[in-house]
Structure formats: C-alpha cells, structure tokens
Amino acid sequence: MPVDMKTVITSAFMTMVKQKGIDKITVKALIDACGISRQTFYYHFQDIMEVIEWSLEQATKSTLAKSLEADTPEEALSVLISSAVENRTLISKLLDSQKREQIEKLFVQAARIYLQELIRSRPRKVSLDYADTEVALDFWAFGITGLLFKYCAQERIDVKSLAGQICRLLPEKDEQEKNDAP
C-alpha cells in the first residue's frame, strides 16, 4: 500500500505543534521529523500554512461524514463540538501563534464549509435567497467558531448541553413554515 505523504507530513506537524507550538516549527525541522527531502515536502505543500489548511480540510471532511450519520441536528453539532474538544490542545497551540489571524480565518472557512455541506445534505424548508443564505452561513460559521474557541479553552464542557443550546437558536421548521404562510 503506498504511503500517503500528505498525511505523514501533517501527522508529524500536528505532533510537533502539540509539543512546541507552531512558531518554532520550520520546514527543515518538519522534513527531519518525517525523514523526507525538502523537495518531497514542497511537492506536496507550499509552506507550513498549507499544511495546516490541508489538515483542517481533512478534519472537516471526517467530522462532516460523522455528523451526517447523526439522527438529529443536535447530535450532528455534538459531533462537531466533540471533535473540537478532542483537539483542544492542538487548537490552543495553533491559536497561540503569530499566525493566529490566518488560523482563525481557516477555522471559520472550515466551519462554513461544514455548515454548508450539512445544509445541502439535510435540507430544511427555509426560504432564504442566495444573498441571505450567504450571510446566514457567515454568521453561523463565525458564531460557532467563536463558541468552539471559547468553550475549548475551558476545563469542562457539556457537549450535549452546548449542542442543545445552539440548536435552540436555530429556527424550527414549523416556525419557518408558519412565517411563510399567507
């Protein structure tokens, strides 16, 4: 079975981040940890930020796949929150870097993609035009990302309770249908 070099590189990178934070990781240190050449690294990634971006995309895909198996929106959000809680040390180390602004943008983008795909896969009868949908996705992506950052910094998190609280903020299908009625 061929080795997935992107996975090898990102796995080594994430291990290094947990140990010493992102600001102390260089491409040289990463290629040494992986036992690969500089050329191999640059064949797969342009720089360290692209490693982070690709890793976050993979995590988003995995979390989305698990969320789509959930029976309710609350269970789907619980999957997302649990994933963030499981990776809280890594998230904290990424945010405690000089690249915090770029990393926050990547997290918001990942949350937006997650929500967009969740909505596509589980359509609800909500009458929003394209522009309103885009604003709603941005609103929820920024909101959920901010909540995850806040709650992941805490010692204890009641995942089910937080998921329930977030879900109660969502418009109910019946409520939306009542608003749409003539």
Side-chain angles (χ1 to χ4, degrees):
M1 177 183 233
V3 175
D4 179 2
M5 194 50 63
K6 280 190 162 190
T7 302
V8 169
I9 294 168
T10 56
S11 179
F13 176 77
M14 294 305 164
T15 299
M16 292 172 75
V17 168
K18 288 177 187 174
Q19 293 170 351
K20 57 184 174 182
I22 185 176
D23 294 330
K24 299 198 190 274
I25 300 173
T26 62
V27 171
K28 169 111 175 74
L30 185 54
I31 63 175
D32 288 347
C34 294
I36 61 173
S37 69
R38 185 172 289 275
Q39 183 178 1
T40 300
F41 175 85
Y42 285 113
Y43 177 79
H44 295 286
F45 297 105
Q46 290 181 348
D47 56 21
I48 295 290
M49 282 307 297
E50 192 172 323
V51 174
I52 296 168
E53 186 174 356
W54 188 83
S55 180
L56 199 50
E57 287 170 6
Q58 299 312 301
T60 301
K61 287 177 186 176
S62 173
T63 303
L64 179 63
K66 292 175 189 170
S67 293
L68 291 174
E69 294 173 3
D71 293 329
T72 66
E74 184 174 315
E75 290 173 8
L77 273 174
S78 290
V79 170
L80 176 65
I81 296 166
S82 293
S83 176
V85 169
E86 289 168 16
N87 292 292
R88 71 169 46 163
T89 302
L90 179 61
I91 292 169
S92 174
K93 293 278 187 172
L94 288 170
L95 292 175
D96 287 342
S97 76
Q98 294 175 7
K99 298 182 187 299
R100 181 181 178 113
E101 187 175 335
Q102 291 171 284
I103 290 168
E104 283 179 348
K105 286 178 183 177
L106 291 176
F107 272 98
V108 170
Q109 179 183 353
R112 192 178 196 288
I113 290 167
Y114 169 87
L115 292 168
Q116 190 171 24
E117 291 303 316
L118 202 58
I119 290 167
R120 278 189 189 141
S121 299
R122 294 184 167 196
R124 295 171 59 119
K125 186 178 188 269
V126 178
S127 58
L128 291 176
D129 64 21
Y130 178 80
D132 289 346
T133 301
E134 291 298 301
V135 169
L137 280 169
D138 285 341
F139 177 81
W140 282 103
F142 278 97
I144 286 177
T145 302
L147 287 172
L148 291 176
F149 289 165
K150 176 183 177 182
Y151 285 97
C152 281
Q154 296 178 1
E155 270 304 303
R156 297 190 184 267
I157 302 165
D158 184 344
V159 171
K160 188 174 180 179
S161 175
L162 181 57
Q165 289 173 304
I166 293 170
C167 282
R168 284 191 293 277
L169 297 174
L170 299 172
E172 291 292 324
K173 188 186 275 190
D174 295 322
E175 183 181 312
Q176 185 66 34
E177 288 172 357
K178 287 178 200 173
N179 292 340
D180 291 343

